[in-house]
């Protein structure tokens, strides 16, 4: 029998006057080799409330944590503001722990030269942490380079980064982009503009970051587009012309029984199977609007399998409306969260799926 899980609160946000310690934390946390945690909040932290970056430092037995503000965004100048995605560091995807000193990178959907979002770096120095904008979006005509980067970045093997923008690009429906270092400058390249195909069959409006496999191939999802405008899962090999392909078109079955709106990023296991969730759809209809409670799915060998239809239990005690990526452990178990459902129906669950 499995030992029950215990939840501990490390810090409650907006505990200080005017939420000077930040509010609405978002994205995943970064863990360094000393056990310290790093993250961002979308709001709070300053008079105009444009968010901040923070660190949590534990004592020896991790019974107490000290909260420390590293950088308040829009302090002095509004380069980056309101980060909604988490921080990453070079080598993040390799599994190597963060050393606590190297730069941390992120995106914001606002701020920058055109107030259409930026990629930024936080650098540690003798005077503390400083912020540097690496790229401002929408500096090209009609925002052909993208705008509103709503997702986190993904570090590549050569010191470059990959990400998505919710809007902008050739048709205004978002992009997948690459950011590479050229000395002190950074070059941004659009790898794919969404909605280039008739009816947006190639997808539209990506809200999550792509993931990168060991061979350098990207996999991701879009919130909209596809045959039913309910999103797609895609693959893209940077540097290979014409490599973009749709892996799964959602909501092709009656009443979207195969799921709709794959909002979060995908997860990849050691066998090459992709796992993800859809925010809505599935077999279990829960309200007058005809929206399903969402699905947990797998993609492998060109086949789409639903592992779980959320809201399958009475009063949706198994959760509904998952909108965050799943995590895979060494045994192949999947962990995730839902935005609603649970014992009180409305406030969500943390779930585990055992194959």
């Amino acid at each position: 029998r499995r030992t029950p899980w215990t939840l501990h609160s490390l810090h409650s946000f907006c505990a200080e006057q005017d939420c000077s310690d930040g509010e609405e934390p978002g994205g995943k946390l970064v863990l360094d080799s000393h056990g310290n945690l790093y993250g961002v909040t979308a709001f709070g932290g300053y008079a105009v409330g444009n968010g901040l970056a923070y660190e949590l430092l534990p004592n020896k037995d991790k019974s107490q944590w000290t909260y420390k503000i590293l950088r308040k965004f829009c302090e002095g100048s509004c380069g980056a503001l309101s980060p909604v995605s988490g921080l990453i560091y070079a080598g993040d995807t390799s599994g190597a722990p963060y050393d606590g000193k190297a730069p941390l990178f992120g995106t914001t959907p606002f701020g920058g030269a055109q107030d259409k979002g930026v990629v930024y770096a936080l650098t540690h120095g003798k005077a503390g942490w400083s912020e540097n904008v690496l790229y401002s979006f929408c500096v090209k005509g009609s925002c052909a380079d993208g705008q509103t980067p709503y997702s986190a970045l993904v570090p590549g093997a050569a010191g470059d980064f990959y990400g998505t923008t919710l809007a902008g690009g050739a048709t205004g429906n978002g992009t997948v982009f690459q950011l590479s270092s050229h000395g002190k400058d950074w070059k941004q390249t659009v790898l794919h503009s969404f909605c280039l195909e008739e009816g947006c069959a190639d997808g539209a409006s990506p809200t999550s970051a792509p993931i990168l496999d060991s061979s350098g191939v990207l996999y991701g999802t879009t919130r909209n587009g596809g045959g039913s405008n309910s999103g797609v899962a895609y693959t893209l090999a940077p540097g290979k012309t014409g490599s973009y392909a749709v892996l799964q078109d959602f909501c092709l079955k009656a009443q979207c029984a195969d799921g709709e709106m794959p909002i979060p990023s995908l997860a990849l296991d050691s066998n090459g199977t992709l796992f993800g969730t859809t925010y809505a759809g599935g077999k279990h209809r829960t309200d007058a609007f005809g929206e399903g409670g969402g699905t947990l799915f797998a993609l492998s060998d060109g086949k789409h399998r639903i592992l779980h239809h959320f809201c399958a239990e009475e009063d949706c005690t198994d959760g509904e409306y998952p909108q965050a990526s799943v995590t895979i452990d060494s045994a192949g178990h999947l962990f995730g969260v839902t935005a609603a459902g649970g014992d009180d129906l409305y406030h969500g669950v943390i779930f585990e799926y055992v194959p």
Side-chain angles (χ1 to χ4, degrees):
R1 183 180 177 84
R2 176 167 291 209
T3 303
W5 295 82
T6 303
L7 180 70
H8 300 280
S9 176
L10 306 184
H11 180 78
S12 292
F13 289 93
C14 206
E16 299 178 9
Q17 186 177 6
D18 298 326
C19 295
S20 60
D21 61 327
E23 61 179 317
E24 293 193 30
K28 72 170 188 175
L29 296 171
V30 168
L31 177 67
D32 74 13
S33 54
H34 301 290
N36 303 322
L37 295 168
Y38 303 79
V40 293
T41 69
F43 303 104
Y46 200 57
V48 288
N50 288 309
L52 54 80
Y54 64 85
E55 180 181 6
L56 280 169
L57 304 91
N59 61 2
K60 276 191 175 182
D61 63 1
K62 296 188 177 181
S63 60
Q64 291 183 329
W65 294 72
T66 301
Y67 180 78
K68 179 182 178 182
I69 293 175
L70 303 181
R71 174 72 183 179
K72 295 177 180 179
F73 289 98
C74 211
E75 185 175 32
S77 65
C78 281
L81 62 104
S82 299
V84 294
S85 58
L87 298 166
I88 59 99
Y89 55 96
D92 189 312
T93 52
S94 70
Y98 176 56
D99 63 8
K101 297 179 181 179
L104 293 166
F105 301 88
T107 65
T108 65
F110 309 108
Q114 305 295 327
D115 197 25
K116 301 296 185 182
V118 306
V119 175
Y120 66 88
L122 294 176
T123 306
H124 186 262
K126 292 182 179 179
W129 290 80
S130 61
E131 168 205 331
N132 181 33
V133 172
L134 305 183
Y135 188 78
S136 288
F137 288 90
C138 201
V139 294
K140 294 184 179 180
S142 302
C143 293
D145 55 330
Q147 70 178 83
T148 319
Y150 208 77
S151 68
L153 296 168
V154 178
D160 50 358
F161 297 96
Y162 300 94
T164 61
T165 63
L166 181 65
T171 68
N173 288 282
T175 69
V176 181
F177 68 86
Q178 180 181 20
L179 193 68
S180 3
S181 174
H182 291 257
K184 294 183 179 180
D185 298 323
W186 290 79
K187 178 184 177 183
Q188 192 256 18
T189 304
V190 172
L191 301 178
H192 182 75
S193 285
F194 289 97
C195 205
L196 290 178
E197 299 179 11
E198 186 177 355
C200 290
D202 58 325
S205 308
T207 56
S208 60
I211 61 171
L212 192 67
D213 72 8
S214 58
S215 63
V217 176
L218 297 168
Y219 301 90
T221 61
T222 69
R223 181 181 66 185
N224 301 122
S228 298
N229 198 30
S230 295
V232 304
Y234 65 84
T235 181
L236 171 65
K240 294 184 179 180
T241 304
S243 68
Y244 181 88
V246 171
L247 297 174
Q248 177 65 25
D249 196 344
F250 290 90
C251 196
L252 295 184
K253 293 186 178 180
Q255 294 185 305
C256 294
D258 53 335
E260 59 179 317
M261 289 193 294
I263 294 174
S265 297
L266 298 168
L268 181 69
D269 73 4
S270 57
N271 297 316
T273 300
L274 294 163
F275 297 91
T277 60
T278 62
Y279 180 75
K283 289 184 177 179
H284 300 284
R285 321 307 292 184
T286 61
D287 55 38
F289 298 101
E291 295 182 351
T295 69
L296 174 67
F297 67 84
L299 290 171
S300 60
D301 298 324
K303 295 181 180 179
H304 169 252
R305 293 181 293 123
I306 292 185
L307 307 178
H308 182 74
H309 294 271
F310 287 96
C311 206
E313 299 176 6
E314 187 176 356
D315 294 329
C316 296
T317 54
D318 59 324
E320 64 176 330
Y321 305 145
Q323 57 182 0
S325 305
V326 296
T327 298
I328 310 171
D329 71 6
S330 57
H333 296 191
L334 306 177
F335 298 85
V337 297
T338 68
D343 290 342
D344 66 356
L345 186 59
Y346 297 109
H347 296 115
V349 305
I350 301 171
F351 67 84
E352 177 185 14
Y353 175 83
V354 181

